[in-house]
Amino acid sequence: MDAAGAAKLVARMFGEGHGLACRLNGGVVELPESGLRIAVDTPDLQPNGVVVRVPIGVNHPTWGEVFAWDQAVGIGGNDRDPVVAAAYDWLHNVFPVFAAYAMPGHELAANVHTETRFDGRRAARIHYGPIAIRDFGGLSEATRRAAVDRPPSAVVAERLFTGYALPDRPLWWYTFAARMPNGPVEEVTLVNGDAGDSLKGISDHLPWEGHGSVKSWALIAPDNDAVIEQVPIG
């Protein structure tokens, strides 16, 4: 499947699956009611013919021409196309934070946790997306509960916005943390770039009983509509 075919698949999921008006322009799906644009690049099928990586990016006019990119992973089997699996998982695990930002109240944003943060000058809203957990063998329920209660994406927010002013534009990030037989893996991608060593250890609080991975997205944006009460002094 090429990029245009994968984009057509994503557009069908938006339209037929969730009742959203959309326009298809080659490898880009436009959702005119929200201003969101979704770019889909050529799926990269792995040599085993079962696993595929599909680059999918989301754009909104408030952050210019930059797209928030993700490598959606799909695993085929039992007559399920891996590209379909990748697009479906992306739609329900990655896209929700952008839905919460641009189309709050839609069903695709239902599993997003949103909180308001105030730094003394202005307010911002942080959207935390659903947690995607994969069990590679023996992943315990305690690890799953801990990841849901305090996902690594929330730890990133704690570090970024403790002692720093809130940003004046939307920022997004995703975290990937895993425990494999050959050791731990951690990735923090902030506005499409590697966040570096300053955000290492964002999953150290998880008990990690067994092997598996935890991935989640988050987005923070200024909240110009927030009502901030000024408490009189004295």
Side-chain angles (χ1 to χ4, degrees), residues 45 48-52 73-86 89 134:
L45 186 64
N48 59 17
V50 176
V51 179
V52 70
V73 176
I75 301 174
N78 297 325
D79 297 325
R80 190 185 193 194
D81 187 288
V83 177
V84 173
D89 288 349
R134 292 185 186 273

Side-chain angles (χ1 to χ4, degrees), residues 52-132:
V52 70
R53 294 181 181 273
V54 184
I56 307 179
V58 184
N59 169 262
H60 190 272
T62 53
W63 57 76
E65 292 300 314
V66 179
F67 281 77
W69 285 98
D70 185 81
Q71 292 282 337
V73 176
I75 301 174
N78 297 325
D79 297 325
R80 190 185 193 194
D81 187 288
V83 177
V84 173
Y88 182 88
D89 288 349
W90 174 88
L91 185 62
H92 294 91
N93 291 316
V94 177
F95 184 75
V97 294
F98 302 101
Y101 171 73
M103 38 196 269
H106 191 274
E107 62 182 2
L108 284 170
N111 293 323
V112 173
H113 171 69
T114 299
E115 63 184 34
T116 299
R117 188 181 182 93
F118 179 57
D119 67 359
R121 297 185 304 113
R122 62 181 140 185
R125 293 170 71 80
I126 307 177
H127 305 290
Y128 297 105
I131 313 298

